Amino acid sequence: MEKFNQTTFDKEGRRAEMEARRVAALERTTTNDERRVALEERKVAMKEKEKEDRIMQMDLDLVQDPKMKAYYQYRKGEILVK
C-alpha cells in the first residue's frame, strides 16, 4: 500500500511539474505574441509617418488637378492637427 501511495504521489508530482512547464511555455508564447504585435504596430506607425512626411513635403504648386490639390491640402491640414 505504501508503494502504491508513493507511486501515486510521484505521478501527481510529475503531472504538477508538467503543468507548470506548460503554463510557463504559454506565458512565454503570450509574451512573444505581445512583442510581435507591438513590433507590427510600430512598423505600421513608421509607414504612416513616412507617408505623412511625403505629403507634407509635396509642392502643391506643381499639382495640376484641382481635386488632387484640394485633397492634399486637406491631408496636410489633418497631419498638422495631429
Side-chain angles (χ1 to χ4, degrees):
M1 187 66 168
E2 186 175 318
K3 187 175 182 179
F4 175 76
N5 287 338
Q6 185 62 38
T7 303
T8 303
F9 181 75
D10 290 344
K11 285 181 182 178
E12 290 299 319
R14 283 190 297 251
R15 280 190 195 133
E17 185 178 326
M18 288 174 53
E19 181 64 18
R21 286 182 184 171
R22 187 180 72 78
V23 168
L26 283 172
E27 288 173 351
R28 283 191 305 273
T29 301
T30 300
T31 301
N32 289 339
D33 288 345
E34 289 170 352
R35 287 181 184 155
R36 192 175 307 115
V37 167
L39 179 61
E40 287 299 317
E41 288 173 347
R42 284 194 300 268
K43 285 180 182 179
V44 167
M46 285 177 56
K47 285 182 182 180
E48 182 65 26
K49 176 80 170 95
E50 289 172 3
K51 286 183 353 184
E52 290 176 350
D53 287 347
R54 272 183 280 173
I55 290 171
M56 292 304 291
Q57 293 173 1
M58 286 181 74
D59 183 1
L60 296 182
D61 292 333
L62 300 176
V63 177
Q64 299 296 319
D65 184 4
K67 290 180 182 178
M68 290 298 291
K69 190 172 189 172
Y71 169 76
Y72 284 115
Q73 286 172 332
Y74 175 77
R75 286 289 291 136
K76 281 186 175 191
E78 283 184 324
I79 293 167
L80 288 172
V81 168
K82 275 174 67 172

